[in-house]
Amino acid sequence: MIFRIFRVFSIVLLLIFAAQSYAATVRVNFEVPYSTKTERAEGNSTVKTVVEVPYKPQGGFCLGACDHPSKDDLKAKTDKVTSGSNLTLWRAYLAKMPSSNISQKETEARKRIDDLVFDISVEHELVIADKMIVFTLRGKINNNLVDQISGYEPSEEDLSKARFLAEQKILDKYISKLDSSKTSQVEKQKNNIYKRVGDLISELSVRGHRVISDRKVVEYAIKASVNDNLFSELLFPSSEQSATGEGSLFGFLILPRVQSHILTYDATIKKRGEEAEGSTNEAQNNESMTESDSGIEEYESSASKKRRVASTTKSGSSKQQMQTSSWRLGNVQTVDAQINRYLTDSGFETVEFNDIVSECGAEELSAEGVRDVVVSSQSGTYPKKYARMIKSALRECEVDYFGQGVMDVHSIKADRGTGGVSAQVKVQITVKNYAKRMPRKVASMSKNFDGLGMSQDAAIDAAIEKASKHVVDIILTQIRKKGIR
């Protein structure tokens, strides 16, 4: 019984931890402009109010004024109203500002009441029928001081609006932190994702706010959780996927190569041709550069030149120059680091090619040997005998996916725009699934990328780093659409 309880408890804990692992916590800070419903004018504003005070007629011998208050009673009541006139006018002002937060700062405001309310006047009249003294109070309110003392505090309605705005802010920040293979897919599914923002985001709370009165904004600090699983399902809909496993092993041998020099040789070819007598117009371009006081000027001109040709017939053989390239290994660490990073972030478990070869390869197969063959090869691939041995090693090590290819830096030249050096790299990569007897191609790409730097090495590194990032982006987009994880 105890064992069963312990087992159930363990399962519950596992479920809790699993649920938490699929939720990403995101925090954002953003600003929202504010204004009160009743805008306060700059400078001073006038306020007026009426105070009614009952009195007792003086009675007795009063020469026709028996129904009036006595002089002493009128003076006492007038003095009392006058002594509290600033506070009375202040309360009348607050009654007209129901949307402001001034009342929250009542204690501080009362300390400055003489500065807040000024130019006070008190007048009165008697309403004999009602036995009432009606006092009319007028004064001015220092609006600038009101703002200085009270500032602004968001209402519950303001906080509700902040939470609503925060949902999109949270989602925007979550998307900004994704690896590039996902962000390229976001644009395609953007409408679906933002329609489900309420389902994607949970546990949203306002952690705090800060009023910045001089800029009339409130800065909110928001925390929320984003459902990773649902986001992935929306990003890569099941209609675009075919079922497969998760956390697949992924190996790769992707080598950067830099063109060291070009060999030129002659090849004999036979040709036969005829030319007829006549004339032809030939367009010619003329490029030149001149130095001026302001620097170097470049211009291009064109002209048409008439050339007369004679009729001849010829046959025989001639020699045509051919080229082959020689390559050296580039910065492998940059490529491996970038590819490992993005594959790992996407849920794959990467396996080093050296480990695959050393653990599961044949005796005559070595990682260094394969690398040297690929680097020196004109096509950037290894021969069939290596392909068979690598396939066998992948299956024995249970590595289902393997990417192979090269990043060839084939053009390095001065860049006029920056004054530095530009390098161009051509990427050719193929990814295959080796889980079954016949390897299946699941992704491939062939594309050129450019890099700039102040030196040749810097330009090469920039081109390779840029290519490495985009390679994984493109490859992951292709394999994710097939449901490969």
Side-chain angles (χ1 to χ4, degrees):
M1 182 67 181
I2 295 176
F3 175 76
R4 289 181 61 189
I5 294 173
F6 177 76
R7 187 168 178 268
V8 171
F9 180 69
S10 300
I11 293 173
V12 171
L13 285 177
L14 286 173
L15 290 174
I16 292 173
F17 289 135
Q20 291 175 342
S21 66
Y22 294 124
T25 300
V26 181
R27 293 177 174 83
V28 295
N29 286 57
F30 62 95
E31 297 177 353
V32 179
Y34 71 80
S35 62
T36 55
K37 292 179 182 178
T38 305
E39 294 288 342
R40 289 191 287 273
E42 292 186 4
N44 307 317
S45 59
T46 301
V47 62
K48 172 185 173 183
T49 189
V50 173
V51 178
E52 296 179 346
V53 180
Y55 68 89
K56 291 182 180 182
Q58 56 181 322
F61 182 74
C62 48
L63 298 176
C66 296
D67 54 354
H68 288 205
S70 65
K71 290 183 178 180
D72 291 339
D73 188 28
L74 178 60
K75 183 178 184 305
K77 287 180 169 49
T78 301
D79 290 344
K80 184 176 181 181
V81 170
T82 302
S83 64
S85 59
N86 52 7
L87 185 57
T88 302
L89 287 168
W90 175 246
R91 288 172 177 168
Y93 172 78
L94 291 182
K96 295 180 180 180
M97 306 291 290
S99 63
S100 73
N101 63 303
I102 303 171
S103 59
Q104 299 177 19
K105 305 293 179 68
E106 182 70 14
T107 302
E108 187 176 352
R110 288 199 180 193
K111 293 177 181 178
R112 303 288 301 278
I113 193 69
D114 291 334
D115 299 319
L116 284 168
V117 187
F118 61 100
D119 283 355
I120 300 171
S121 65
V122 180
E123 299 175 352
H124 75 274
E125 64 177 333
L126 299 177
V127 181
I128 304 299
D130 297 330
K131 304 293 187 292
M132 195 76 68
I133 307 173
V134 179
F135 293 93
T136 301
L137 286 67
R138 292 181 175 86
K140 292 182 178 179
I141 304 295
N142 186 334
N143 292 316
N144 295 335
L145 184 57
V146 171
D147 285 337
Q148 180 182 333
I149 293 174
S150 62
Y152 180 84
E153 287 295 326
S155 63
E156 187 55 41
E157 183 181 356
D158 294 325
L159 293 174
S160 178
K161 290 179 180 178
R163 293 186 190 96
F164 177 77
L165 292 172
E167 288 186 341
Q168 183 159 340
K169 301 288 184 182
I170 288 286
L171 193 53
D172 288 344
K173 184 170 183 179
Y174 175 82
I175 290 172
S176 71
K177 298 296 183 181
L178 298 174
D179 65 75
S180 57
S181 67
K182 290 183 179 179
T183 54
S184 62
Q185 185 73 4
V186 167
E187 287 301 317
K188 300 177 184 178
Q189 301 296 338
K190 196 168 187 177
N191 290 336
N192 293 335
I193 291 171
Y194 280 88
K195 283 179 182 177
R196 299 287 299 277
V197 65
D199 299 323
L200 284 166
I201 296 175
S202 61
E203 300 178 7
L204 190 149
S205 61
V206 180
R207 312 295 290 179
H209 68 271
R210 181 168 65 98
V211 178
I212 308 175
S213 56
D214 58 332
R215 291 172 47 212
K216 297 291 185 184
V217 296
V218 180
E219 181 185 60
Y220 293 96
I222 306 291
K223 177 184 176 183
S225 296
V226 180
N227 188 325
D228 284 328
N229 279 354
L230 178 58
F231 186 87
S232 295
E233 290 174 12
L234 294 174
L235 198 62
F236 299 97
S238 57
S239 59
E240 298 183 10
Q241 299 181 4
S242 54
T244 186
E246 293 185 4
S248 303
L249 294 182
F250 201 119
F252 60 89
L253 179 64
I254 299 174
L255 300 175
R257 306 191 304 175
V258 182
Q259 198 173 53
S260 55
H261 61 276
I262 300 173
L263 296 177
T264 302
Y265 62 92
D266 294 332
T268 301
I269 59 172
K270 293 181 179 182
K271 65 178 181 178
R272 179 184 181 88
E274 295 182 357
E275 297 179 1
E277 183 178 3
S279 63
T280 180
N281 285 328
E282 179 183 345
Q284 295 183 332
N285 289 329
N286 179 36
E287 293 185 355
S288 63
M289 298 181 70
T290 61
E291 290 191 12
S292 65
D293 293 339
S294 59
I296 297 178
E297 299 178 357
E298 181 179 2
Y299 63 89
E300 180 178 340
S301 64
S302 62
S304 179
K305 179 180 180 181
K306 189 170 184 180
R307 176 182 295 173
R308 184 174 185 81
V309 296
S311 175
T312 60
T313 301
K314 61 182 179 180
S315 63
S317 63
S318 64
K319 290 185 177 181
Q320 180 178 352
Q321 289 187 327
M322 306 291 288
Q323 292 182 342
T324 60
S325 299
S326 178
W327 304 90
R328 63 178 175 83
L329 191 64
N331 191 338
V332 181
Q333 288 77 15
T334 298
V335 176
D336 287 351
Q338 288 277 13
I339 294 177
N340 271 311
R341 172 191 169 191
Y342 287 107
L343 285 175
T344 302
D345 289 346
S346 298
F348 290 95
E349 298 178 37
T350 58
V351 184
E352 297 289 340
F353 181 70
N354 290 353
D355 295 336
I356 296 172
V357 172
S358 62
E359 292 294 326
C360 306
E363 290 184 2
E364 63 270 31
L365 185 66
S366 69
E368 292 77 11
V370 176
R371 187 189 69 181
D372 291 343
V373 168
V374 173
V375 171
S376 61
S377 168
Q378 288 298 308
S379 63
T381 59
Y382 38 67
K384 290 183 178 180
K385 68 173 184 178
Y386 283 120
R388 286 192 295 268
M389 288 187 287
I390 291 172
K391 180 173 69 173
S392 177
L394 291 170
R395 287 178 177 170
E396 185 176 340
C397 283
E398 298 180 345
V399 179
D400 291 344
Y401 298 96
F402 184 72
Q404 192 275 324
V406 289
M407 298 180 179
D408 289 342
V409 181
H410 59 85
S411 176
I412 305 170
K413 58 186 178 182
D415 183 72
R416 290 184 178 181
T418 63
V421 180
S422 69
Q424 188 175 73
V425 55
K426 182 176 182 180
V427 179
Q428 298 182 90
I429 293 175
T430 300
V431 178
K432 292 183 179 181
N433 182 351
Y434 288 85
K436 296 184 179 181
R437 180 177 179 183
M438 296 299 295
R440 294 167 294 166
K441 184 187 294 184
V442 294
S444 63
M445 68 167 295
S446 179
K447 193 171 181 179
N448 286 304
F449 299 93
D450 294 317
L452 293 173
M454 296 311 296
S455 66
Q456 178 173 308
D457 289 341
I460 292 173
D461 288 343
I464 290 176
E465 184 172 354
K466 181 178 179 181
S468 301
K469 178 178 179 294
H470 287 281
V471 161
V472 186
D473 183 349
I474 296 170
I475 293 297
L476 285 176
T477 299
Q478 292 183 43
I479 65 180
R480 272 205 177 101
K481 286 186 176 180
K482 298 180 180 181
I484 299 170
R485 300 182 187 279

